[in-house]
């Protein structure tokens, strides 16, 4: 049985959250003398002398329409990395409660766990980069509070089988975080709408990849509103700045452009994938549902260094479990990809 109250850290359950000026009075007034802001104004315009909306209601109502969830089921963070950190802080008592990851996967789950002193259990993906569900269930302990799954997965690029993800969500009484940073490039559907069905599901999305505003630092988490209430309680009161909230809303106004860029990214992914496969030092190009390709090479480190010498930087993942000999290459613009292929075509390994 899933019991949110029992899962939450004792001190978080009892926490009295900081109550900001904007929390205590959220109506409209003529004169605001409640938050020690600069009453003369912002020297750079934009009403930046005022603190941001702590609960980002304008942005959330836009995200809610798009994602098919209610605003009460949305947390907005300083990147989705903030949601990863908060999830661990909410549920894992340091030095005791554990998280589970399925490597190779995104490195921030381990880093955030280490910062919060949460021990990590690793259950590697299969050689097809899919979940080993029986092994995951065998490795659970009474202290396991969160399982992090990533689909499409970074750095492998593939989507996890939907049935496997559901099986884990249904079998585990703790929190399952499904990280969908690359969902917009995938043909798979989001798990976002399932937060109505599964009270233990947290779905992460981000404005950093397809939405094109990594520099603004905006990420979202979708979950049952009882879980979102915990995120709101623990987050810094003004965790997302006014400029970042405005940037995300402005990006959402550019849906047609983003859709076009996603189409081009997918096309270019196919172009790169086919071209990589023809290179004789390439051992394997893995299928991708994301905006990057994982490519196994005869001598990945040598290729990596040669690319750097030509002014092109990719990600060396050759030291990562199940990724030996692999580089992770982001899909660029058609022009960037042509230049990449030109350099690769001139290499001999
Ligand atoms: C890039 C990425 C993120 C995004 O993090 P932000 O903090 O939102 O920029 C999250 N998860 C995965 C798997 C990623 O690759």
């Amino acid at each position: 049985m899933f019991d949110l109250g029992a899962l939450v850290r004792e001190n978080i359950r009892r926490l009295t959250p900081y109550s900001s000026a904007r929390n205590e009075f959220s109506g409209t007034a003529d004169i605001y003398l409640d938050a020690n802001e600069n009453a003369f104004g912002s020297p750079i315009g934009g009403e930046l002398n005022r603190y941001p909306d702590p609960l980002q209601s304008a942005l959330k109502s836009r995200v809610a329409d798009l994602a098919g969830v209610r605003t009460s089921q949305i947390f907005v963070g300083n990147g989705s990395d903030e949601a990863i950190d908060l999830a661990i802080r909410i549920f894992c008592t340091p030095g005791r409660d554990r998280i589970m990851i399925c490597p190779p996967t995104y490195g921030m789950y381990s880093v955030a766990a280490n910062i919060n002193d949460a021990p990590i259990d690793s259950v590697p993906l299969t050689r097809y980069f899919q979940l080993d569900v029986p092994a995951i269930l065998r490795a659970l302990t009474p202290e396991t509070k969160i399982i992090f799954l990533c689909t499409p997965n970074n750095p492998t690029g593939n989507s996890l089988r939907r049935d496997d993800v559901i099986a884990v969500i249904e079998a585990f009484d703790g929190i399952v975080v499904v990280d969908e940073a690359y969902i917009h490039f995938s043909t798979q559907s989001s798990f976002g709408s399932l937060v109505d069905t599964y009270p233990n599901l947290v779905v992460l999305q981000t404005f950093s990849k397809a939405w094109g505003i990594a520099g603004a630092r905006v990420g979202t988490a979708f979950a049952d509103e009882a879980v979102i209430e915990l995120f709101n309680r623990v987050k810094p009161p003004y965790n997302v700045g006014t400029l970042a909230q405005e940037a995300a809303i402005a990006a959402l106004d550019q849906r047609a452009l983003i859709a076009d860029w996603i189409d081009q990214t997918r096309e270019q992914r196919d172009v790169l994938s086919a071209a990589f496969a023809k290179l004789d030092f390439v051992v394997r190009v893995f299928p991708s549902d994301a905006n990057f390709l994982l490519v196994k090479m005869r001598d990945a480190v040598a290729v990596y260094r040669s690319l750097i010498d030509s002014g092109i930087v990719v990600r060396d993942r050759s030291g990562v479990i199940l990724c030996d000999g692999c580089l992770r290459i982001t899909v660029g613009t058609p022009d960037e990809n042509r230049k990449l292929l030109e350099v690769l075509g001139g290499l001999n390994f």
Side-chain angles (χ1 to χ4, degrees), residues 48 50-60 62-63 76-77 207 213 216-218 235 237-253:
L48 287 174
R50 299 301 177 188
Y51 277 100
D53 173 1
L55 291 173
Q56 310 99 11
S57 48
L59 174 55
K60 279 181 187 169
R62 295 289 303 273
V63 170
V76 179
F207 280 84
I213 55 167
R217 310 302 304 128
V218 184
K235 80 181 185 73
Y238 301 114
N239 61 323
V240 182
T242 303
L243 294 177
Q245 295 185 38
E246 288 173 356
I249 291 169
L252 289 168
D253 286 335

Side-chain angles (χ1 to χ4, degrees), residues 78-81 106 109 150 154 179 181-182 206 208-209 217-219:
N78 180 22
S80 42
D81 287 351
Y106 186 47
Y109 314 137
C150 187
N154 179 3
D179 187 341
Y182 300 97
T206 179
S208 297
K209 308 287 158 63
R217 310 302 304 128
V218 184

Side-chain angles (χ1 to χ4, degrees), residues 191-270:
F191 284 87
S193 57
L194 293 185
V195 299
D196 271 324
T197 312
Y198 298 113
N200 62 332
L201 171 63
V202 175
V203 176
L204 304 183
Q205 292 187 3
T206 179
F207 280 84
S208 297
K209 308 287 158 63
W211 286 107
I213 55 167
R217 310 302 304 128
V218 184
T220 52
F222 308 136
D224 186 87
E225 65 180 62
V227 174
I228 296 300
E229 196 272 321
L230 293 165
F231 275 80
N232 288 337
R233 207 193 284 201
V234 175
K235 80 181 185 73
Y238 301 114
N239 61 323
V240 182
T242 303
L243 294 177
Q245 295 185 38
E246 288 173 356
I249 291 169
L252 289 168
D253 286 335
Q254 300 294 327
R255 273 179 79 176
L257 176 66
I258 297 302
D260 178 52
W261 284 350
I262 289 169
D263 285 346
Q264 289 195 54
T265 301
R266 286 180 171 153
E267 263 171 47
Q268 288 293 308
R269 184 176 71 199
D270 291 346

Side-chain angles (χ1 to χ4, degrees), residues 261-303:
W261 284 350
I262 289 169
D263 285 346
Q264 289 195 54
T265 301
R266 286 180 171 153
E267 263 171 47
Q268 288 293 308
R269 184 176 71 199
D270 291 346
V271 168
L272 284 180
S273 175
F276 290 160
K278 290 199 187 104
L279 298 166
D280 54 339
F281 55 86
V282 165
V283 178
R284 183 140 187 226
V285 185
F286 291 96
S288 172
D289 255 346
N291 65 338
F292 57 84
L293 287 160
L294 187 73
V295 188
K296 190 174 169 88
M297 319 228 172
R298 258 201 311 264
D299 190 345
V301 175
V303 173

